[in-house]
């Protein structure tokens, strides 16, 4: 609106591809909307009514308004337009998306990545994920079946592979890893719940087959109580579409690269400082050893068990002193109970099947009361 590219959000036909929580980042977020065009008149603009031309019929995109350049001049520093693409009127960033990919970054210190990978693969396929999300019943979400196309856990090399292998090799507590998951659609907090379970598996607190148990809603219709993973390592990494030709503005692209390099420099220096601090604390005095005399220093990096507890900081809440397995914990309120709760408050309507069950139950109660009254009247006579 500030750049006069749209009149307002309501008339701009605005859609966004994915939803991100507060604290979650997006690299591949895509939005669609009707913008003022230099080549095609948009409704409400000086160009007159919207044209019926398709993107293929229009003039070369090099003659179009420099959308990325215009918008990046007024956007906050942490939001940038990377490119734009002409699209037909039937296109929607939300409904035309083929699939979305999320990535969750985490250090591998103290984690069994083999177990995490085995557990992650069990997410693939079409399942009911009600035990691995926050059930958003109040907003009318009653179907929790989703299709996961890919779920993998792997290590991540640094920007300079040789330097990374020399300084912070992937096998060290400070080597970075990621959980990548691709699906046609996601539920509220689904990836963060999935990651929480994977972290428990990686810490050997749960076995990989716990994923199968959580996906079995017939045996486990109610979600065990557990904390989900924190938000900041999660990124909406990519959104896939057919027949989109992205247009990059060379000046805007150069500015984006420079801007991100500056941000990376600040964070990389801070990361290196912290790593140096940890190296400095890596050796410290410890108790005398009776067999071979005093040893003034101990290499805490090679301590057994390893002094690596990064995974604890990636789960919300406080870790209890005594761990209780997921399937032995208290259960959350079931789906049907939540549906009835919000239906009574008028937030949603009961599904037809549950409405019929309610009517049958009310009929049984009325018949029982009528029979009780008839029995009392007979005794009185």
């Amino acid at each position: 609106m500030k750049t006069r590219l749209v009149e307002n959000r309501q008339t701009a036909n605005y859609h966004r591809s994915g939803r991100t929580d507060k604290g979650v980042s997006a690299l591949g977020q895509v939005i669609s909307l009707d913008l003022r065009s230099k080549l095609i008149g948009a409704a409400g603009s000086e160009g007159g009514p919207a044209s019926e031309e398709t993107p293929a019929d229009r003039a070369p995109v090099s003659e179009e308004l420099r959308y990325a350049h215009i918008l990046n001049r007024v956007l906050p520093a942490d939001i940038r337009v990377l490119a734009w693409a002409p699209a037909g009127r039937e296109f929607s960033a939300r409904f035309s998306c083929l699939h979305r990919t999320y990535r969750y970054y985490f250090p591998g210190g103290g984690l069994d990545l083999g177990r995490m990978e085995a557990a992650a693969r069990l997410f693939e396929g079409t399942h009911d994920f009600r035990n691995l999300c926050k059930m958003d019943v109040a907003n009318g979400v009653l179907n929790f079946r989703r299709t996961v196309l890919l779920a993998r856990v792997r290590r991540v090399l640094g920007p300079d592979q040789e330097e990374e292998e020399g300084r912070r090799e992937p096998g060290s507590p400070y080597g970075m890893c990621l959980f990548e998951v691709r699906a046609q659609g996601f539920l509220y907090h689904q990836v963060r719940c999935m990651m929480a379970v994977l972290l428990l598996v990686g810490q050997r607190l749960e076995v990989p087959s716990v994923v199968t148990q959580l996906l079995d809603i017939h045996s486990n219709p109610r979600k065990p109580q557990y904390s989900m993973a924190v938000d900041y390592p999660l990124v909406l990494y990519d959104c896939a579409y057919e027949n989109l030709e992205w247009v990059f503005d060379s000046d805007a692209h150069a500015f984006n690269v420079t801007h991100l390099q500056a941000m990376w420099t600040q964070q990389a220096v801070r990361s290196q400082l912290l790593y140096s601090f940890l190296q400095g604390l890596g050796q410290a005095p410890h108790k005398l050893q009776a067999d071979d005399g005093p040893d003034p220093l101990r290499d805490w990096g090679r301590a057994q068990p390893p002094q690596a507890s990064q995974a604890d900081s990636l789960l919300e809440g406080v870790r209890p002193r005594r761990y209780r397995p997921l399937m032995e914990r208290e259960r959350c309120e079931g789906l049907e109970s939540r549906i009835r709760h919000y239906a009574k408050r008028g937030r949603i309507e009961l599904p037809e099947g549950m409405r019929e069950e309610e009517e049958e139950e009310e009929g049984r109660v009325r018949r029982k009361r009528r029979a009780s009254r008839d029995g009392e009247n007979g005794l009185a006579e």
Side-chain angles (χ1 to χ4, degrees):
M1 291 172 61
K2 187 174 182 179
T3 56
R4 302 295 190 270
L5 292 177
V6 299
E7 288 187 349
N8 53 61
R9 176 171 173 170
Q10 289 69 31
T11 61
N13 193 26
Y14 171 84
H15 292 91
R16 50 75 183 134
S17 175
R19 176 176 60 182
T20 53
D21 306 330
K22 181 180 180 181
V24 176
S25 301
L27 173 63
Q29 179 68 287
V30 176
I31 69 168
S32 60
L33 71 170
D34 298 337
L35 294 176
R36 175 166 58 89
S37 171
K38 187 177 179 182
L39 305 179
I40 300 178
S45 71
E46 294 180 1
S51 170
E52 294 300 326
E53 288 181 273
T54 63
D57 299 328
R58 53 191 300 173
V61 294
S62 59
E63 300 177 10
E64 183 57 280
L65 293 172
R66 299 176 63 192
Y67 293 121
H69 175 77
I70 294 171
L71 290 170
N72 285 339
R73 291 171 65 89
V74 298
L75 282 169
D78 57 347
I79 302 177
R80 284 290 175 265
V81 176
L82 304 183
W84 68 275
R89 289 203 173 273
E90 73 285 354
F91 180 85
S92 165
R94 178 183 179 186
F95 298 108
S96 301
C97 186
L98 301 176
H99 53 75
R100 300 166 180 86
T101 301
Y102 280 88
R103 285 185 174 183
Y104 194 102
Y105 293 87
F106 62 96
L111 297 175
D112 188 328
L113 297 184
R115 290 165 62 95
M116 294 179 72
E117 168 71 3
R121 288 177 179 267
L122 297 176
F123 289 129
E124 296 180 348
T126 302
H127 308 283
D128 190 310
F129 286 90
R130 69 179 64 180
N131 291 330
L132 290 152
C133 71
K134 181 178 179 180
M135 291 194 291
D136 200 13
V137 176
N139 289 323
V141 179
L142 306 181
N143 180 15
F144 297 91
R145 290 186 67 81
R146 296 294 185 272
T147 299
V148 172
L149 304 173
L150 178 142
R152 295 287 188 273
V153 172
R154 59 183 176 86
R155 298 187 185 278
V156 180
L157 293 177
D160 186 333
Q161 181 173 344
E162 294 181 358
E163 184 180 0
E164 183 77 8
E165 291 175 348
R167 279 193 306 117
R168 299 181 221 175
E169 64 279 4
S172 79
Y174 305 102
M176 294 302 296
C177 307
L178 67 83
F179 167 51
E180 182 172 270
V181 57
R182 180 178 303 148
Q184 296 170 337
F186 290 90
L187 296 160
Y188 192 30
H189 288 166
Q190 179 181 343
V191 180
R192 291 172 64 185
C193 288
M194 294 166 72
M195 188 63 208
V197 173
L198 291 181
L199 288 172
L200 296 176
V201 171
Q203 294 177 87
R204 301 178 182 85
L205 298 172
E206 299 286 347
V207 294
S209 61
V210 73
V211 172
T212 303
Q213 293 179 279
L214 290 170
L215 294 174
D216 184 359
I217 62 167
H218 299 290
S219 301
N220 300 289
R222 296 167 59 193
K223 176 184 176 182
Q225 295 180 0
Y226 61 89
S227 299
M228 62 183 177
V230 296
D231 51 15
Y232 65 87
L234 181 58
V235 178
L236 174 59
Y237 186 75
D238 185 41
C239 301
Y241 298 89
E242 283 184 335
N243 303 323
L244 278 189
E245 297 182 5
W246 294 102
V247 180
F248 287 84
D249 185 312
S250 57
D251 293 336
H253 191 67
F255 175 83
N256 288 335
V257 171
T258 303
H259 172 70
L260 287 172
Q261 283 178 336
M263 293 180 65
W264 176 86
T265 299
Q266 295 176 7
Q267 301 300 326
V269 169
R270 290 171 181 167
S271 176
Q272 181 58 47
L273 286 173
L274 287 172
Y275 184 69
S276 298
F277 296 160
L278 286 166
Q279 283 184 312
L281 296 175
Q283 292 186 337
H286 74 111
K287 295 180 180 179
L288 300 180
Q289 298 178 352
D291 51 354
D292 56 357
D295 182 4
L297 298 178
R298 175 179 179 178
D299 187 349
W300 287 91
R302 293 186 175 87
Q304 295 296 328
Q307 192 74 15
S309 57
Q310 295 96 320
D312 291 341
S313 64
L314 294 177
L315 291 172
E316 292 185 342
V318 179
R319 179 175 178 175
R321 293 183 179 179
R322 182 177 177 276
Y323 182 76
R324 189 176 183 183
L326 276 179
M327 307 314 296
E328 298 178 8
R329 299 186 187 183
E330 298 293 327
R331 302 300 176 105
C332 299
E333 186 180 11
L335 176 59
E336 292 186 355
S337 177
R338 292 193 181 197
I339 292 175
R340 291 190 174 94
H341 170 76
Y342 287 109
K344 288 180 179 179
R345 296 179 61 181
R347 296 283 298 274
I348 61 174
E349 292 185 3
L350 276 177
E352 184 176 351
M354 293 185 65
R355 189 161 54 244
E356 292 175 353
E357 292 177 3
E358 292 262 324
E359 292 172 354
E360 291 178 1
E361 180 63 25
E362 290 176 359
R364 282 194 295 268
V365 171
R366 284 195 298 269
R367 288 192 295 271
K368 187 176 181 180
R369 289 175 178 172
R370 188 181 304 113
S372 177
R373 287 196 300 268
D374 293 343
E376 292 175 355
N377 291 336
L379 288 174
E381 293 175 359

